[in-house]
Amino acid sequence: MELGGIHHVTAVTANASENVAFYTRTLGLRLVKKTVNQDDTSAYHLFYADELGRPGTDMTFFDWSFAGRNRPGAGQVSTTAFRVPGRETLEWWKARLDSEDVSYGEVFERNGQAVLPFTDPEGQRLELVDDTTEDEGSGVPPGVPWKHSPVDRERGIRGLEGVTLALNRLEPTATVLTEQMGFRKVEEHTENGHRTATYEVGPGGPGTVVRLVERPDLRIHRTVGAGGVHHVAFRVPDDEAHDAWRAKLAEAGLGVTPVIDRFYFRSIYFREPGGVLFEIATDGPGFTADEDPERLGENLSLPPFLEPRRTQIEAGLEPINPAGAARA
Ligand code: ZN
């Protein structure tokens, strides 16, 4: 019983139009689903991913217009990394980010991979990582950028590479990763004076990476603001594996929720001891469950249990207008 890597990362925006403009126009991801937060239907839930929204390729956002700017702290996902093919592709992206007025840092090497750090318009910390140093054919297969993306297909983002967690102490989280969740420690080093350790799960390599950074200097912030990450989800292939994972985590005393049907996948949640909210989600049924693959994300999708309230829900949502969004 192994986790298959990262399923998705869910973050917070306070500006849906600007968010759609950035993730689809600047980064070239496909808006594969426009739906609502099932626990707060006054908020959009926006999913950006590869051409079909394959598990492991999506970054999603809750649109909370009232949210203040996120305060970086411990107990948070501090950085989300996307995978792109090739070192020279990072140079191509630097030019693209320049032309889009997006701020980015210097390309640096981490465990033999080139990394380009940048931020979204709300300060969300992101990275592009060259995933071609891994053996071809091993690990999580990359996603496929959408053919109508404004970014060249061969340069496009092809999924999530990994996440970095900022923690007061590494050990409690590391123990849950390795003892309960099947992660393997890859390496540990000191970066900018902070202990940093890398873990992989399942097939290993891009799409399965969790980095831990020890930050005893940061306060724990559990209220996630705009530009912050709400949770990270990991993959299981089917309902049977999902149920088995739920039983295992419950037995370990991790306070896991019951199975929640998100319609596009099924979810369980628990907070790891460092304070980060983890989810385990099924690979299916996926985003083509209620829309034609050619038309994904064009209209507001509601799961069947919310469909009877469509008129009321639509009336409570601000229209999204990426064309009118201020440039980053
Ligand atoms: Zn989620």
Side-chain angles (χ1 to χ4, degrees):
M1 193 166 91
E2 275 196 324
L3 296 174
I6 295 173
H7 188 289
H8 64 268
V9 170
T10 292
V12 176
T13 178
N15 186 336
S17 295
E18 180 186 67
N19 189 257
V20 171
F22 184 82
Y23 284 88
T24 64
R25 195 166 63 198
T26 304
L27 295 190
L29 296 171
R30 185 180 188 187
L31 176 63
V32 293
K33 195 63 63 181
K34 182 166 61 181
T35 183
V36 293
N37 180 334
Q38 295 181 11
D39 305 314
D40 168 13
T41 60
S42 71
Y44 284 107
H45 192 178
L46 305 168
F47 293 75
Y48 307 103
D50 81 341
E51 57 175 5
L52 291 175
R54 290 179 177 88
T57 69
D58 49 330
M59 177 131 188
T60 93
F61 285 84
F62 296 143
D63 160 44
W64 287 330
S65 55
F66 55 83
R69 189 57 69 94
N70 189 60
R71 292 165 66 198
Q76 291 189 0
V77 172
S78 58
T79 309
T80 301
F82 295 109
R83 53 192 295 193
V84 295
R87 177 70 174 74
E88 73 289 351
T89 296
L90 297 184
E91 295 302 319
W92 184 92
W93 272 98
K94 281 168 69 174
R96 179 170 182 83
L97 296 179
D98 272 332
S99 71
E100 299 277 330
D101 287 327
V102 177
S103 61
Y104 59 86
E106 289 300 314
V107 172
F108 66 96
E109 297 285 325
R110 183 173 58 206
N111 303 331
Q113 288 177 306
V115 181
L116 172 61
F118 65 107
T119 52
D120 86 355
E122 295 176 300
Q124 185 81 242
R125 289 175 61 189
L126 304 168
E127 293 171 343
L128 295 175
V129 177
D130 169 18
D131 68 359
T132 59
T133 54
E134 295 289 322
D135 294 339
E136 206 59 41
S138 71
V140 176
V144 180
W146 189 32
K147 62 184 176 211
H148 299 304
S149 169
V151 171
D152 296 346
R153 234 176 168 184
E154 62 273 20
R155 304 291 190 189
I157 290 171
R158 48 190 203 168
L160 294 162
E161 186 268 344
V163 290
T164 302
L165 278 48
L167 304 161
N168 281 154
R169 291 174 57 223
L170 295 197
E171 271 71 23
T173 300
T175 301
V176 166
L177 288 179
T178 57
E179 307 282 308
Q180 307 300 341
M181 297 178 69
F183 278 78
R184 306 175 294 276
K185 188 172 181 176
V186 177
E187 62 83 45
E188 178 171 334
H189 68 281
T190 300
E191 196 171 300
N192 304 322
H194 304 298
R195 263 182 85 198
T196 303
T198 305
Y199 296 80
E200 293 181 346
V201 76
T208 75
V209 180
V210 173
R211 284 174 280 271
L212 309 183
V213 179
E214 192 160 72
R215 294 296 304 266
D217 53 314
L218 295 179
R219 294 181 63 167
I220 292 213
H221 287 305
R222 286 200 180 161
T223 307
V224 181
V229 170
H230 189 270
H231 64 266
V232 53
F234 302 97
R235 298 172 61 176
V236 292
D238 52 38
D239 289 339
E240 194 185 345
H242 204 228
D243 289 341
W245 272 100
R246 191 186 175 280
K248 180 177 160 66
L249 296 168
E251 192 176 300
L254 284 166
V256 63
T257 66
V259 174
I260 300 169
D261 187 356
R262 297 301 187 193
F263 188 64
Y264 306 108
F265 42 82
R266 277 168 278 284
S267 302
I268 53 176
Y269 303 84
F270 65 99
R271 205 172 283 280
E272 58 81 26
V276 180
L277 187 61
F278 280 0
E279 172 183 352
I280 293 178
T282 55
D283 277 356
F287 297 109
T288 54
D290 62 353
E291 285 184 312
D292 183 325
E294 294 297 317
R295 312 295 301 269
L296 292 178
E298 291 179 11
N299 298 299
L300 182 72
S301 295
L302 294 176
F305 82 94
L306 289 176
E307 195 60 57
R309 293 172 48 209
R310 175 175 283 273
T311 306
Q312 178 197 344
I313 288 169
E314 285 185 333
L317 293 167
E318 292 280 329
I320 294 176
N321 178 19
R327 301 282 288 198

